[in-house]
Amino acid sequence: MPIKESELILNPDGSIYHLNLRPEHISNDLIFVGDQDRVDQITQHFDSIEFTTQKREFKTTTGFYKGKRLSVQSTGIGPDNIDIVLNELDALVNIDFKTREIKENHTALNIIRIGTSGSLQADIPVDSFLLSSHAIDLNGMLQAYQIDEIAHQEIENAFIKQTNWSPKKAAPLVVSNSKELAQKIISDGIFTGITATAGGFYGPQGRVLRLGLQDANLNSKIDSFNFEGNRITNLEMETSAIYGLSKLLGHKAVSMNAIIANRANGTFSKKPAQVVADLIVYTLDKIVE
């Protein structure tokens, strides 16, 4: 049965609604960044540019790096934007826009996030790289979907118990990365751990300006969480949504974090731009190995 126009929204030129993309515009290998300006920071290393477009915070550039066709996609900030980006990218490769029907043959995308993050553990220093083995979703966006098949209930239950998680909040959800893609990207010296994904920057991450927090001790509880040696290493706003939607839609995803702050010891990188630049080159070269 064809998907209704109200559900799969296309622009007059046949492109997908928010991203302004048609199927031929993207590679099956994508790099996600939050900041639209970081798209150019990555594609300046490309041998050639094939296509670029931007609508709102969503900028996409496709080109070639050392002979490999890649797309770089900016997502903006937060899990709600990831919901838009991943559903629309999936539609580009797995829905026939002419018939509005799901294709018989599924296409899997390879997605690598390059982002900045703050470490929650004293032994993970600023200027290091961290690959998210799992993400713990603290914002509830994924709860709109059928998530039982991707959940890790033992870790989730332990987290709820150890943090005395409020039942008024969305239930935490733990999702793993693509082991296959992670093996391609990781190397010696790269930290790994569970990445916590919050739905906001201030209260949801324990920051206080003028508003009090529902649980003023939550950050310290998150920092000290441990389940069979698994700990929460860093906090940001996108990884759980990327991992969760990728798993549900049949794509492979891994998140690479440039650690530019350490909230455990209150330090901030003296060279944050260089750390990100180094992570970009590292990731690009790993993709084409």
Side-chain angles (χ1 to χ4, degrees):
M1 180 180 295
I3 299 171
K4 296 177 181 178
E5 292 184 7
S6 59
E7 311 305 295
L8 174 64
I9 306 171
L10 301 180
N11 297 311
D13 65 354
S15 63
I16 196 79
Y17 184 57
H18 293 93
L19 301 185
N20 261 16
L21 297 171
R22 295 195 299 272
E24 65 269 21
H25 290 153
I26 65 165
S27 167
N28 291 347
D29 298 291
L30 298 108
I31 295 173
F32 278 12
V33 292
D35 186 352
Q36 57 198 7
D37 292 337
R38 198 167 287 156
V39 173
D40 291 343
Q41 189 179 358
I42 294 175
T43 59
Q44 69 177 339
H45 298 286
F46 280 19
D47 308 319
S48 60
I49 301 297
E50 176 185 304
F51 171 85
T52 190
T53 190
Q54 181 170 359
K55 183 177 181 181
R56 300 184 184 182
E57 64 266 52
F58 306 119
K59 181 171 183 175
T60 314
T61 298
T62 296
F64 289 85
Y65 178 75
K66 295 184 178 180
K68 187 174 184 67
R69 188 172 185 254
L70 299 172
S71 294
V72 184
Q73 174 70 59
S74 68
T75 65
I77 299 173
D80 50 345
N81 275 8
I82 298 299
D83 184 59
I84 291 171
V85 170
L86 251 166
N87 274 291
E88 293 198 357
L89 289 174
D90 177 77
L92 287 167
V93 296
N94 288 312
I95 297 175
D96 187 318
F97 282 9
K98 293 181 179 179
T99 64
R100 293 182 165 270
E101 293 184 342
I102 297 172
K103 296 179 180 179
E104 290 186 9
N105 296 320
H106 176 268
T107 296
L109 300 173
N110 298 309
I111 298 164
I112 301 173
R113 171 189 179 269
I114 296 178
T116 56
S117 188
S119 170
L120 301 178
Q121 305 296 337
D123 62 323
I124 300 179
V126 296
D127 302 338
S128 61
F129 300 161
L130 185 143
L131 186 153
S132 305
S133 63
H134 298 75
I136 182 165
D137 184 275
L138 304 179
N139 57 79
M141 186 277 288
L142 290 168
Q143 300 289 347
Y145 299 98
Q146 297 177 19
I147 55 174
D148 288 349
E149 66 183 68
I150 64 170
H152 290 70
Q153 292 187 350
E154 285 190 331
I155 306 177
E156 294 157 12
N157 291 338
F159 179 84
I160 290 169
K161 182 178 180 180
Q162 290 185 38
T163 61
N164 193 25
W165 189 255
S166 171
K168 293 183 179 180
K169 294 180 178 179
L173 172 70
V174 175
V175 191
S176 64
N177 65 19
S178 162
K179 298 297 186 291
E180 180 182 341
L181 197 54
Q183 285 301 314
K184 181 177 178 63
I185 299 300
I186 199 166
S187 63
D188 292 342
I190 305 294
F191 290 91
T192 62
I194 301 174
T195 294
T197 299
F201 183 77
Y202 289 96
Q205 293 191 36
R207 293 183 173 90
V208 177
L209 299 183
R210 292 203 314 116
L211 297 177
L213 303 176
Q214 179 271 326
D215 183 350
N217 297 314
L218 182 58
N219 269 24
S220 62
K221 294 176 183 177
I222 291 174
D223 297 353
S224 60
F225 172 75
N226 192 300
F227 177 77
E228 297 180 353
N230 294 294
R231 59 181 182 161
I232 298 174
T233 49
N234 61 312
L235 183 61
E236 47 78 271
M237 295 178 63
E238 289 83 33
T239 295
S240 71
I242 295 171
Y243 281 10
L245 289 174
S246 293
K247 288 281 186 183
L248 292 172
L249 291 165
H251 304 303
K252 301 171 186 175
V254 70
S255 179
M256 292 294 294
N257 303 269
I259 301 298
I260 62 171
N262 186 299
R263 294 184 70 176
N265 55 36
T267 56
F268 191 85
S269 174
K270 299 292 193 295
K271 49 176 185 177
Q274 185 60 51
V275 178
V276 174
D278 290 345
L279 180 57
I280 287 170
V281 172
Y282 171 87
T283 305
L284 283 170
D285 286 339
K286 280 292 183 179
I287 291 172
V288 300
E289 278 186 358

